[in-house]
Each structure stands twice: as structure tokens, then as C-alpha cells.
Amino acid sequence: DIQMTQSPSSLSASVGDRVTITCRASQSISNYLNWYQQKPGKAPKLLIYGASSLQSGVPSRFSGSGSGTDFTLTISSLQPEDFATYYCQQSYSNPLTFGGGTKVEIK
Amino acid sequence: EVQLVESGGDLVQPGGSLRLSCAASGFTFSSYAMNWVRQAPGKGLEWVSAISDSGGSTSYADSVKGRFTISRDNSKNTLYLQMNSLRAEDTAVYYCARRDGYNYRYYFNYWGQGTLVTVSS
């Protein structure tokens, strides 16, 4: 199975900050990497697919990059509604696997 | 509007069984592969199972293989998860999710609201 490791597991940031979350795969997954946002009590929401493609309706302050084993989700200017937990997920091979999550909290 | 509505979650004793349902609407259900993803309380997301658009192909996480069975009824636009020999570690919110994308560039763009399964004596 492909292991997905996210870092950090949590972070504190202020509104307006630039935030970067990293996801590393245990083997190369090309660009078969997705990012989701989840708020408490809600289902996950797709933000980025194919490592860098922004899902329709998602604000442009979110961006994704990377290929192979190392990927990054960047929020260019953190907004109050962005405080949530973020997950990466690979679709390169079954079983599909998620990272452990990164909780973004208010500083 | 795409909608996925799960039901069937409940409190069940260890070793018991439960069947979850996911009613789909707003899209051509028979054209999409579907998945179950779960989330234990306070934990991360775990993919559980997938089924192809026709129902002819299924896959499972090792943690549920041999105990859970995914199926679908395209005439009823409904996805199922039959859960047998339930264990405490199966306690989670179970989400159904539609698989979008192509050629392994797959992603989950639509999710249900989730249904809670609690396994406890």
C-alpha cells in the first residue's frame, strides 16, 4: 500500500498568512494526488485534483503543486473560513489512501 | 443537483451485522463508480470499498475484506454496504462518495452527509 504522510499535523496561523501543507508519498504517484478540506461535522470537500487542478468553485487562494512523491497545498492568504482540516489522497493505486490530515487553527 | 444520502447507521454489538444504504439523485447513477469512505471519531479518513459503475468489479480495504460487501442497485439508484462480523474498530462515520475523473486521475467530488456506525456492547 502507498503511505501518505502529511506535515505538519497541525499548525496555528493568522488571517492573511500564507500557509503551506506538505504531503509525501511512500513511492512515486506521478500527479495522482488530491486535496480535501473538512470542517467539523461535515463531509470532506474537494479542493485540488491531479496535484494542481483547482476544483470549480474553489477560491484561487488555494493552489497545489508537486509530482512524484512530494506535494504541497498552499493557501496564499488565509481566510476565516479556511480554518479546517486538510487531507491529501492518492489515486495512483488501490487501496486509495489518505494522509493523516493537517489541522489549521487560529493563532 | 447531485445528492448522496446515507442511512442505516446504528448502534450494534460486536459480531453483529448492519447494512448501510446511499440513495443517489441528480445524476446518472449507473455511469459512475461509487465508494465508501469512513472516519473513526477524531481520526482521519479511510477508504473502505469501491464498486464499478456496472457493479461487476469491487475492491476492499484489507481491514474489511471478507467481512464487508459493497453492492449497488442501478434501478433504484442506491449503493449498499453490508457489514458483518463488526468490531469496535469499525466504529466510524461512513460516507458514500462518487468517483469522478478518469485514467486513475480519480477523485471524490461528491460526498454524502455520513451515517454513524457504533459497535459496542
Side-chain angles (χ1 to χ4, degrees), chain A residues 12 27 60 76:
Chain A
S12 295
Q27 65 182 75
S60 59
S76 60

Side-chain angles (χ1 to χ4, degrees), chain A residues 54-73:
Chain A
L54 190 68
Q55 172 61 17
S56 176
V58 174
S60 59
R61 63 180 179 274
F62 290 93
S63 64
S65 64
S67 184
T69 60
D70 294 317
F71 302 87
T72 298
L73 173 70

Side-chain angles (χ1 to χ4, degrees), chain B residues 34-46:
Chain B
M34 296 295 295
N35 287 250
W36 289 99
V37 176
R38 70 183 179 183
Q39 186 169 36
K43 303 297 184 182
L45 300 167
E46 180 189 16

Side-chain angles (χ1 to χ4, degrees), chain B residues 18-38:
Chain B
L18 208 57
R19 188 176 84 156
L20 306 183
S21 300
C22 171
S25 61
F27 65 102
T28 304
F29 182 68
S30 59
S31 296
Y32 290 87
M34 296 295 295
N35 287 250
W36 289 99
V37 176
R38 70 183 179 183

